Amino acid sequence: MNRSLPRLILISLAILLAIILGAAVFLLTTYQSPPVDPQWAVAPSETIPEDAVTVRYTGTATLVFSDGQTTWMTDGWFSRPKPLRVLFGKIQPDLDAIRKGLQRNEVHDLAAVFPLHSHYDHAMDAPEVAKRTGAVLLGSESTANIGRGWGLPEEQIREVTDRAPIAFGKFTITPIELRHFQFPDPVMAERALGDPEIKAPLTPPVGAFDYRVGKAYALHVAHPKGTWLILGSAGFVEGALEPYDADVVFLGVGALGSQTDAYRETYWRESIDSTNPSRVIPIHWDSLTGPIEGPFTGMVRAAALLSKGPDQLLPFLEAKAAANPNITFITLPRYAPVVLF
Ligand SMILES: [Zn+2]
């Protein structure tokens, strides 16, 4: 009798531990549904006219644009380090994921890869993408230092100037410096946005937050077929986009659901009301750690559990869609081409 009691306690403890571990694994490996309306999803284009401009979407802010003659991309991010590694470990480009990502997007010759800022989920893989495709790596000095740390030759690195247009074939890309999304949590804000520059070549493996933000750019793109604006991060500088018009806005909405109503309204006004698009394509709404194959996912459950209150992104976007019947909301399929113009 008195020998089985400690045994019972041990068994109970083991069961309790298994439940806690199981719950932790569940929270870190399963995801909420994506914060976009399934009705906005468009199918891949079945036929692509010879002179069409197409877009392909991998997830987050990785977009490939092509007019059949020239192909270039934003970010080129395919590695998806898992949450624990991002928070506590070291990360580096996943070469196999990059190879597959380029293959799935049917990228062969690439004129340019432009990380929208220097955080790991935008800029980490871009130097390897440039190496494999011959593309030039565009961005701030911080992005250039990510390229140098990866051993990308200097002739494939080009630091850009705020509002100075760059031409590739018929595409004219104008980078416009804006603020990155402002994290409402002061600890996160300091961790992700404090000490913004990468001042020396950065060679991974390094901590995820060693990829400092650098400069955050919106890209205005002009092509004979149309104009568009790409916002990789939900930040703004009041009046900065006023001089620009766009037929389409790729609207970065990452973490926007955690900001205040006032912040969201200002972001909308500065990004959409200023540029007057007829189509809005939300991007960066999928999980950073979700699988890169198959359907897009929303936030990992562990992150959702830690956030204060329900995420406001979907109600915000739904309200904007309802209030702006002249604007078509679109979400893109993964990898497959969609005719933009
Ligand atoms: Zn960022």
Side-chain angles (χ1 to χ4, degrees):
M1 189 69 180
N2 45 0
R3 227 189 278 162
S4 63
L5 191 63
R7 201 179 194 184
L8 199 65
I9 291 172
L10 272 179
I11 291 170
S12 309
L13 279 175
I15 291 171
L16 191 65
L17 197 66
I19 290 171
I20 291 171
L21 272 175
V25 168
F26 176 76
L27 289 172
L28 286 168
T29 57
T30 57
Y31 297 86
Q32 293 197 313
S33 38
V36 286
D37 191 326
Q39 290 187 42
W40 299 336
V42 296
S45 299
E46 275 169 29
T47 52
I48 296 172
E50 206 172 307
D51 63 342
V53 173
T54 58
V55 60
R56 294 170 185 259
Y57 184 47
T58 293
T60 57
T62 292
L63 297 157
V64 180
F65 297 97
S66 182
D67 64 359
Q69 292 173 347
T70 309
T71 304
W72 65 280
M73 74 191 299
T74 55
D75 291 4
W77 188 58
F78 304 106
S79 302
R80 300 278 166 124
K82 294 291 167 205
L84 288 178
R85 190 170 284 278
V86 169
L87 287 175
F88 306 112
K90 292 196 167 183
I91 59 169
Q92 61 189 327
D94 177 340
L95 300 183
D96 196 48
I98 295 169
R99 181 183 61 76
K100 281 187 192 149
L102 292 173
Q103 200 176 54
R104 300 264 198 302
N105 281 300
E106 297 183 86
V107 168
H108 308 290
D109 292 327
L110 195 67
V113 54
F114 199 145
L116 299 167
H117 59 271
S118 305
H119 279 153
Y120 83 97
D121 58 318
H122 297 265
M124 179 168 78
D125 295 348
E128 178 61 19
V129 167
K131 260 192 188 175
R132 284 172 189 246
T133 58
V136 56
L137 173 68
L138 299 173
S140 64
E141 187 191 357
S142 295
T143 293
N145 275 326
I146 296 171
R148 291 182 186 116
W150 193 246
L152 189 66
E154 212 54 47
E155 56 269 24
Q156 265 177 275
I157 300 173
R158 196 195 300 178
E159 287 181 34
V160 303
T161 306
D162 186 26
R163 293 172 191 249
I166 310 158
F168 291 98
K170 292 180 185 159
F171 295 93
T172 302
I173 306 169
T174 306
I176 303 147
E177 209 184 311
L178 296 179
R179 267 193 297 276
H180 184 276
F181 173 73
Q182 301 297 299
F183 295 96
D185 173 44
V187 176
M188 183 58 188
E190 179 53 33
R191 230 184 150 187
L193 304 177
D195 189 17
E197 307 295 336
I198 301 170
K199 296 192 184 83
L202 183 72
T203 305
V206 291
F209 290 97
D210 289 332
Y211 288 90
R212 308 306 308 160
V213 62
K215 294 196 188 322
Y217 297 106
L219 303 185
H220 182 267
V221 187
H223 187 279
K225 307 277 284 187
T227 56
W228 60 103
L229 184 75
I230 309 162
L231 293 157
S233 174
F236 53 84
V237 169
E238 291 196 35
L241 297 174
E242 209 54 66
Y244 300 93
D245 274 339
D247 300 316
V248 182
V249 172
F250 293 85
L251 187 70
V253 292
L256 189 60
S258 68
Q259 256 291 359
T260 60
D261 285 339
Y263 183 102
R264 278 188 286 275
E265 288 301 330
T266 309
Y267 180 55
W268 181 269
R269 194 177 66 235
E270 293 298 327
S271 311
I272 306 298
D273 293 345
S274 304
T275 59
N276 204 22
S278 57
R279 285 175 278 171
V280 167
I281 305 182
I283 56 171
H284 216 329
W285 42 265
D286 55 310
S287 167
L288 298 189
T289 57
I292 199 161
E293 301 292 337
F296 291 107
T297 64
M299 225 188 269
V300 68
R301 278 186 211 282
L305 191 75
L306 291 174
S307 64
K308 300 170 191 115
D311 188 89
Q312 292 303 312
L313 180 57
L314 185 54
F316 171 74
L317 292 176
E318 298 269 22
K320 286 301 177 196
N324 295 276
N326 53 324
I327 298 177
T328 306
F329 275 61
I330 291 167
T331 55
L332 297 169
R334 178 119 67 185
Y335 304 129
V338 169
V339 171
L340 195 57
F341 296 104

